[in-house]
Amino acid sequence: MSGPLYVPVLPARSHAAEAFRLLRPDVLAAVRPLWNLPSLPGAASDALTVSVEKYAGPASAVSRHGGWIDAPYEEDAQTDVLAEALAVYCEWGRLRPVTGPERTGSQQTAAVETARRCRQGLGVRVRVSGEWGDHLGESVRSLVARAGPEVPVDLLLDMGTVRDDRPDAGKEARRALDSLMPLTAWRGVSLLGGGFPQVTAERLETGACEESRAEWNMWHEVRATSTAYARGLGYGDYGVQPPGALAQPPAPGRRGGPAWGVLRYTTATSYLLFRTATRGTDRVAVNRAAARRIVELPEFRGASAGQGEEWFSDCANGPMSSGRGVGGPKEWLRAGNLQHLTYVVRSLPGG
């Protein structure tokens, strides 16, 4: 892969780690994930350490080519414990710590110290959910000065949710990059955004819906400019979940949930969603029919395109007499991310 790197922003959860583990080697070589710990509100020190091991451990194990590990929802009282627990995966793994201009001073200090000690570098995640503000540039200037020239720094410009109702996202990204690029000799620069919709029963009332890939369009808009940074700009998205899904705290042992789910497929211009069933006498028929709608798409890339497409094909062609292979929410997320991650890498210039 000679083109830009792909930085998927992924939850440090089992379905995402398993999808990442199953990626083909040529795809894996082009991907540097930004793993996010779930929100762990009120967790005491011992429980926090155990939770970090539970979520960060599998993510680190599959990130053979490196990436980043972030805990963007931590409480200030958790900073020291989180920093110590995450440092294990930066020192012995290939993941880099992350900080940002809106983080507390103690979190910034902990991330910089971890980066300096582990010598993997530091990710500076700058969030721009609306208009760019010059005050963010000054905060980033102070942050990279604190890191010093001996710590390699990567800029992760995170535009958050980017859909059609943010037509100025590309313009704001350019304003941000024009301000941030001169601040230091960034080792790498990636533009991130999440365009996958929040899935609701209402959106899937007819059995399917479609959403444009606005964050993909934003990245191409910035890449098309004549700026010096445009050609080397990395691309990032939130996989097949909306940005808000990252903040959901764990719910171990939770039962129930909606009677519906969703299969997800990515095309050149759109995200396609098809309703599935999690229970009921018609569950097998509904789920195989949803998979058939994917494999019958003109844009379907064929069962040999990747493990995600292979799963959809197997599900679509399975017997109605058996529920084997129709999956559940975790399997649907895993298959969705497999097809998406693979397709994005192969869609990037040089991929």
Side-chain angles (χ1 to χ4, degrees), residues 11 13 38 73 198 238 241-249:
R13 303 287 186 114
Y73 314 105
Q198 185 69 43
Y238 280 68
Q241 289 186 281
L246 294 181
Q248 295 175 358

Side-chain angles (χ1 to χ4, degrees), residues 190-250:
S190 296
L191 178 59
L192 321 176
F196 201 86
Q198 185 69 43
V199 183
T200 63
E202 289 73 23
R203 284 188 65 92
L204 290 171
E205 188 174 4
T206 62
C209 67
E210 181 176 356
E211 186 88 11
S212 67
R213 294 175 64 195
E215 83 284 24
W216 180 243
N217 297 333
M218 172 188 70
W219 182 76
H220 278 284
E221 178 184 334
V222 177
R223 281 260 302 175
T225 64
S226 58
T227 55
Y229 58 73
R231 303 311 296 172
L233 186 65
Y235 169 74
D237 58 35
Y238 280 68
V240 293
Q241 289 186 281
L246 294 181
Q248 295 175 358

Side-chain angles (χ1 to χ4, degrees), residues 263-279:
L263 295 184
R264 306 152 172 91
Y265 200 67
T266 307
T267 72
T269 58
S270 302
Y271 295 118
L272 303 175
L273 299 86
F274 300 93
R275 183 167 176 151
T276 56
T278 59
R279 54 183 178 267

Side-chain angles (χ1 to χ4, degrees), residues 173-194:
R174 293 197 304 274
R175 290 182 61 200
L177 288 166
D178 288 344
S179 296
L180 295 170
M181 290 302 295
L183 298 183
T184 190
W186 300 101
R187 176 171 59 182
V189 180
S190 296
L191 178 59
L192 321 176

Side-chain angles (χ1 to χ4, degrees), residues 1-4 216 219-220 223 231 344-351:
M1 173 94 183
S2 58
W216 180 243
W219 182 76
H220 278 284
R223 281 260 302 175
R231 303 311 296 172
V344 169
V345 166
R346 291 176 176 164
S347 300
L348 289 170

